[in-house]
Amino acid sequence: MKTVLITGCSSGYGLATARHFHAQGWKVIATMRTPRELDIAPSSRFRVVALDVTRPESIGRALDDIGPLDVLVNNAGIGLFGAFEATPMATVREVFETNTFGTMAMCQAVIPRLRAQRSGTIVNVTSSATLAPFPLVAAYTASKTAIEGFSASLALELHDFDVRVRLVEPGYGPGTNFSANADDRIQGLITEPYAAYAQGVFAEFMGATLTTTPEDVAEAVWLAANDTTNRLHRAAGPDAVALADRG
């Protein structure tokens, strides 16, 4: 039985991915900052574990408790909308702390065991914002784009140890908590000079005909985790696929 550890499983893409792997017969370690009961039938193959990717001690405790590992899915992330001009650098650093440094910290913690067993896969979940430019998400895009470059380099240095690195790039998911988990940080970031422009951007998002579901991302992560080729990038969701094909 293979084991996957997935970060950011409290809702959205992470929760759907945990369900998908569990349905495929895997042992699932579903992590989140504040553990809560999930609507998944009780199973010896499913555990919820506390893990905050921004805290080294939390990462260490979680990994000490899980045993052998085959796949790491770095899904934990926070969103941010707003004019960059109005975004405090403290907020930018907060976004990078989770989206970029949290992902890197998880990789650094897991690599020694994957290298020693000479097998395993790391799947880093980024965003379709890395496939084409979008307005009002400059800091968020930067945090995810950094992981794209990081993953490409990491894939090369882990290749000889038979450890694979994959990227999954989800599209816009209106059914996720992206906006909700950004609420506190986006207050005051749409200033008066940007108000009219932002209204047009939000209207365009609300009217999007191609969007991404959590199940789209779960399936893409599953395929990435089981792909034995050298493929690095995998768009998730019809809108992301369209952007990837265009680029």
Side-chain angles (χ1 to χ4, degrees):
M1 184 188 305
K2 290 188 175 182
T3 299
V4 59
L5 185 151
I6 307 164
T7 65
C9 288
S10 60
S11 63
Y13 299 154
L15 177 55
T17 301
R19 287 176 175 150
H20 191 79
F21 274 82
H22 185 254
Q24 301 300 322
W26 283 47
K27 179 180 178 182
V28 176
I29 311 298
T31 77
M32 58 194 75
R33 283 179 297 180
T34 305
R36 66 177 184 83
E37 190 172 318
L38 301 176
D39 58 343
I40 296 178
S43 167
S44 60
R45 294 189 292 104
F46 191 89
R47 290 180 56 198
V48 175
V49 173
L51 194 161
D52 183 339
V53 300
T54 69
R55 298 183 178 276
E57 67 278 10
S58 177
I59 294 174
R61 282 194 302 268
L63 293 181
D64 286 344
D65 191 39
I66 66 168
L69 182 65
D70 298 285
V71 173
L72 166 66
V73 179
N74 282 310
N75 168 75
I78 56 178
L80 186 68
F81 286 110
F84 182 74
E85 175 189 339
T87 306
M89 286 307 299
T91 301
V92 175
R93 292 188 178 94
E94 182 185 359
V95 171
F96 268 77
E97 198 62 48
T98 296
N99 296 358
T100 309
F101 302 131
T103 293
M104 290 180 172
M106 287 298 301
C107 290
Q108 196 168 64
V110 164
I111 285 170
R113 68 173 68 192
L114 300 184
R115 175 178 49 76
Q117 70 193 27
R118 299 193 68 86
S119 67
T121 302
I122 296 169
V123 181
N124 293 330
V125 180
T126 59
S127 168
S128 61
T130 66
L131 301 174
F134 292 91
L136 303 179
V137 288
Y140 172 80
T141 300
S143 73
K144 293 294 191 177
T145 302
I147 292 301
E148 296 263 323
F150 164 74
S151 299
S153 181
L154 190 64
L156 296 176
E157 65 187 76
L158 296 182
H159 179 267
D160 285 350
F161 302 109
D162 297 318
V163 176
R164 297 185 291 270
V165 179
R166 302 287 184 256
L167 284 162
V168 170
E169 296 141 339
Y172 168 56
T176 69
N177 282 351
F178 179 92
S179 297
N181 74 18
D183 277 350
D184 292 340
R185 287 179 295 279
I186 67 175
Q187 296 301 316
L189 299 191
I190 303 297
T191 52
E192 192 279 329
Y194 295 92
Y197 177 66
Q199 286 180 357
V201 171
F202 293 147
E204 188 173 340
F205 273 115
M206 293 297 291
T209 55
L210 293 179
T211 59
T212 297
T213 68
E215 290 71 29
D216 291 331
V217 178
E219 176 65 17
V221 171
W222 167 258
L223 293 173
N226 290 280
D227 187 351
T228 59
T229 72
N230 290 324
R231 178 176 178 176
L232 176 63
H233 299 267
R234 187 177 296 272
D239 52 330
V241 171
L243 289 174
D245 290 345
R246 185 191 311 168

